[in-house]
Each structure stands twice: as C-alpha cells, then as structure tokens.
Amino acid sequence: MKSILRLALATVCAFTLLALQAVSAQQVQIEGSVNLTPFEARGITLSTLYKVDGEFAGKHGIPVPAPFTLAAPRRDGQQILAQAKPAGGGPIKIYFATDDAQKRIFSSLQIIPFTMKTDDLQKRLEIGDYFAIDLLKKLGENRTTRVNLRRQITVGGLPAAEVVGNFVNGEGDQLLVRLVAVAKPGSPHGIIGIAVGHPRQGRIKKVEDIYDTSASLAFDTVMFN
C-alpha cells in the first residue's frame, strides 16, 4: 500500500460529495449538444453530448488535465442538469432528475481527476482502485459504507478499476454508488466517475440496478480526447 501511495498524487483527497435531493435552476451552468445516441439498444434515441476539454476549461476557469467526452442518455420523464466546477471538486457534475419543478434526483454523475507517477499498467489500475475506495469512504461515515463489488473492467476499450458500494447520506438515505477510475493512455492523468443512484425515486431495487442508471450509462461512454 505504501508503494501505491508514493506513486499516487493527492488530486482527489479534498473530495466531498454533496448528495443533494433537488437541484435549483441557479446551479445549472452548462448545456450539451443533442446527438444521436449510443443507447439505441435500450430504446433511447437521443443523448446529450458533453465535451470537457480545453475550451471547457477556459470558459469555466477549471483545469482539465485529461480532456474527455461523454454522452448522457435522454429518457422520458427525466431532465438532465449539468453543473461546471461543482462542489466537491472536478470539472463537471450531471444530474438526472424528474421532469418537473421538484427536480428530484434519479442519479448523478460527478467526474473527479486523479494523477499518478507510473506508466506500469497494473500499478495504474491499483492506483485507480485505491482512489475509488478512498472516495467511497468519504461519501458516508465508515460504519454506513459497504463495498459490494471490486473488480477490473474496460471503459471505452481502456482498462479501469471499478468499485460498487452503498452508503447513507446526511439525510438518512441509503444510496448506491459506482466508482470507476480510468487513466488516459500515455498520460499521468485520469478520471474517476462517481455514479450515485437514489433509491427514493423507485428505480433502484437491488445493487445491480446501479448499472441501469443514467449516470452509470453516461460514464460508460467516456472517451478521452
């Protein structure tokens, strides 16, 4: 573990996730472009494309060391609200909320950057896994946090570290979370996607349902620029 810590930089250590139940209109700062969707097999015909690159960084005054693009699925009865430079860190957070004035959250996706000091593929995966576990611990009190799954996967054809867990937020809600860390090839930089599912809205009944949330589907489309 000490060797992993020496290779990892503390990019994500200040992270604190605000697991909100509603989003005010004043928080919505950015819009994406509507495109044909990579979710057609699920019956979702449109998606909103977000490009988090140099132009995004300059516009919002936030560093983007590993530029990327992702597609957010546009589902019936759901609206997409995106925020640049969100509380807790990272360049962007995307909320998938009820399509009404209450904007109750179905799921949310926050992207957090991380940095490492090695080119070794296995060590890069171990660092990503370490950061994902560390972020999970920060989401709730340790006594309420549980790891349900921990494995290596691929995202956009790239090796990634995945952790699925659950935690209790400050309002007493039991939330599911999927954290995926993926590094940009040939770069010391990477990103961690934090997809949080909110069972209160009725779409999450079991751990596996986190994969069907819009937040999780969106992160699976990540491509580095």
Side-chain angles (χ1 to χ4, degrees):
M1 179 60 71
K2 289 183 179 179
S3 62
I4 294 299
L5 290 174
R6 284 196 296 269
L7 294 171
L9 302 181
T11 307
V12 300
C13 289
F15 173 81
T16 303
L17 182 71
L18 301 179
L20 304 176
Q21 295 303 313
V23 185
S24 68
Q26 289 77 13
Q27 289 178 302
V28 181
Q29 301 177 7
I30 57 176
E31 295 183 359
S33 58
V34 179
N35 291 263
L36 294 178
T37 179
F39 312 107
E40 189 172 355
R42 294 175 175 268
I44 304 171
T45 57
L46 294 174
S47 61
T48 299
L49 190 67
Y50 293 96
K51 294 182 179 180
V52 183
D53 53 14
E55 182 179 348
F56 180 100
K59 181 178 180 180
H60 299 289
I62 186 168
V64 180
F68 63 91
T69 301
L70 65 78
R74 298 170 65 90
R75 283 171 152 163
D76 292 339
Q78 175 181 274
Q79 60 181 305
I80 301 173
L81 306 168
Q83 182 183 10
K85 209 173 181 178
I92 189 172
K93 185 171 184 177
I94 304 171
Y95 299 89
F96 301 90
T98 55
D99 193 14
D100 55 26
Q102 283 73 38
K103 299 181 176 68
R104 297 180 300 274
I105 299 173
F106 289 120
S107 64
S108 64
L109 174 64
Q110 187 156 357
I111 306 294
I112 301 293
F114 71 97
T115 306
M116 67 206 88
K117 296 179 178 179
T118 179
D119 295 324
D120 182 272
L121 178 58
Q122 185 57 38
K123 287 186 172 62
R124 286 161 73 91
L125 284 169
E126 291 171 2
I127 291 169
D129 174 78
Y130 168 81
F131 277 142
I133 289 291
D134 189 55
L135 286 174
L136 176 59
K137 292 177 181 178
K138 287 178 167 60
L139 293 175
E141 297 181 13
N142 282 340
R143 62 183 178 84
T144 71
T145 301
R146 178 181 302 170
V147 175
N148 297 300
L149 178 66
R150 191 175 183 180
R151 63 179 181 176
Q152 293 181 7
I153 61 170
T154 59
V155 173
L158 298 176
E162 178 189 61
V163 174
V164 175
N166 57 272
F167 66 99
V168 177
N169 68 1
E171 298 180 359
D173 293 317
Q174 182 78 238
L175 304 182
L176 274 171
V177 59
R178 178 186 180 219
L179 304 100
V180 180
V182 58
K184 182 177 182 179
S187 168
H189 305 293
I191 57 174
I192 299 176
I194 306 169
V196 178
H198 297 248
R200 180 181 288 187
Q201 307 311 330
R203 292 187 176 179
I204 293 181
K205 304 296 184 183
K206 56 187 182 299
V207 172
E208 292 79 8
D209 290 341
I210 190 66
Y211 293 102
D212 292 323
T213 63
S214 295
S216 189
L217 293 175
F219 190 78
D220 285 340
T221 71
V222 159
M223 299 290 290
F224 287 111
N225 299 343

